[in-house]
């Protein structure tokens, strides 16, 4: 009993050190968040995932409350707008990192991991925000693969070929397996947001409306692929209006 008690105290100390470390990361060097998160690499509890969730935000430049306030303010422009999604995508604080297929794929994976950590920790705000971060990164990843506008420009594109290329890629039977995985990845995170952030105390009514609509029309919480497809169509209705 004494040994276990000491172990728990050590974990608490480590978590506290990691949190203090994150609190001291500056906008001038947000990559310092990596060292803070590394402190809890051996801690697999919700508390550890909470640090990993926070670390992902800090590394992307959300180092103070004003950044998150600005992000939520952008919601008033519409959850599918470039102002909102462009402010949330994971891009290493440099949007040009998303203008190649390799870069888009890399940050797609990072955004998915961050959202998974936030959901595992049960963080309402973090889970909801990273779900939309991942949605933005997923859309960019799709656009790059579909030879549409590759980068954040896909959110505000006026090129009619972008919509054509996206729908063509998403309906091409040779891409069925890859597209099904993307839908499932998106749907899984949307369902996490629905259960954690949009039931009971709602974090943000506008964002949760999109989440709830996708879950309702996509087949419910046991149908991640259907929910993922519905979420894409809900948020990007103008671009994917012809997607069956």
């Amino acid at each position: 009993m004494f040994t276990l008690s000491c172990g728990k105290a050590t974990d608490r100390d480590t978590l506290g050190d990691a949190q203090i470390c994150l609190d001291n990361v500056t906008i001038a060097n947000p990559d310092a968040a990596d060292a803070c998160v590394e402190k809890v690499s051996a801690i697999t509890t919700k508390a550890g995932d909470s640090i990993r969730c926070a670390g992902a935000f800090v590394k992307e430049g959300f180092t103070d409350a004003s950044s998150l306030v600005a992000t939520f303010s952008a919601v008033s422009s519409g959850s599918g707008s470039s102002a909102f999604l462009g402010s949330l995508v994971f891009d290493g604080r440099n949007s040009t990192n998303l203008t190649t297929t390799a870069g888009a794929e890399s940050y797609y994976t990072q955004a998915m991991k961050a959202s998974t950590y936030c959901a595992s920790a049960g963080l309402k705000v973090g889970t909801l925000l990273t779900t939309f971060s991942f949605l933005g990164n997923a859309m960019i990843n799709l656009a790059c693969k579909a030879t549409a506008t590759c980068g954040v420009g896909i959110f505000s594109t006026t090129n009619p070929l972008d919509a054509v290329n996206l729908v063509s890629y998403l309906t091409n039977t040779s891409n069925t397996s890859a597209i099904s995985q993307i839908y499932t990845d998106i749907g899984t995170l949307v369902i996490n947001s629905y259960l954690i952030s949009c039931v009971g105390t709602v974090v943000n009514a506008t964002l949760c409306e999109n989440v709830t609509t996708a879950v309702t029309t996509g087949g419910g919480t046991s149908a991640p692929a259907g929910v993922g497809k519905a979420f894409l169509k809900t948020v990007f209705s103008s671009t994917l209006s012809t997607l069956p």
Side-chain angles (χ1 to χ4, degrees):
M1 288 178 63
F2 178 76
T3 302
L4 290 173
S5 179
C6 288
K8 290 179 180 178
T10 300
D11 281 355
R12 287 197 296 271
D13 290 342
T14 301
L15 289 164
D17 288 344
Q19 183 60 65
I20 292 171
C21 180
L22 286 175
D23 289 344
N24 287 303
V25 174
T26 65
I27 193 65
N29 184 27
D31 287 335
D34 289 336
C36 303
V37 173
E38 181 60 27
K39 293 176 181 288
V40 299
S41 60
I43 299 177
T44 58
T45 61
K46 286 186 175 183
D49 284 339
S50 180
I51 293 292
R52 284 180 275 274
C53 170
F57 276 113
V58 172
K59 185 174 172 64
E60 281 296 316
F62 290 99
T63 54
D64 57 55
S66 61
S67 296
L68 290 177
V69 169
T71 297
F72 269 114
S73 295
V75 178
S76 61
S77 300
S79 62
S81 70
S82 58
F84 177 60
L85 289 178
S87 69
L88 278 182
V89 291
F90 279 44
D91 61 5
R93 305 167 309 284
N94 184 345
S95 62
T96 61
N97 288 333
L98 301 178
T99 57
T100 66
T101 301
E105 180 74 30
S106 175
Y107 283 100
Y108 168 92
T109 301
Q110 290 184 44
M112 181 166 57
K113 286 182 178 179
S115 191
T116 301
Y117 289 138
C118 295
S120 176
L123 302 176
K124 281 181 171 285
V125 174
T127 301
L128 187 61
L129 285 181
T130 50
T131 293
F132 279 85
S133 294
F134 179 70
L135 172 65
N137 283 102
M139 189 64 173
I140 291 172
N141 192 31
L142 280 171
C144 293
K145 291 179 178 179
T147 64
T149 296
C150 188
V152 294
I154 191 62
F155 302 139
S156 55
T157 181
T158 57
N159 184 350
L161 286 178
D162 283 334
V164 172
N165 290 344
L166 277 167
V167 174
S168 177
Y169 181 82
L170 288 168
T171 55
N172 188 329
T173 54
S174 65
N175 299 328
T176 299
S177 179
I179 297 307
S180 177
Q181 186 60 58
I182 290 174
Y183 286 155
T184 298
D185 289 345
I186 294 174
T188 297
L189 301 187
V190 171
I191 290 168
N192 285 344
S193 274
Y194 174 74
L195 296 174
I196 295 171
S197 310
C198 300
V199 175
T201 301
V202 174
V203 171
N204 182 280
T206 302
L207 299 185
C208 281
E209 181 180 356
N210 285 311
V211 167
T212 302
T213 297
V215 172
T216 302
T217 62
T221 57
S222 61
V227 170
K229 182 177 182 179
F231 193 53
L232 269 178
K233 290 179 66 176
T234 297
V235 177
F236 297 104
S237 56
S238 60
T239 308
L240 302 177
S241 59
T242 60
L243 184 66

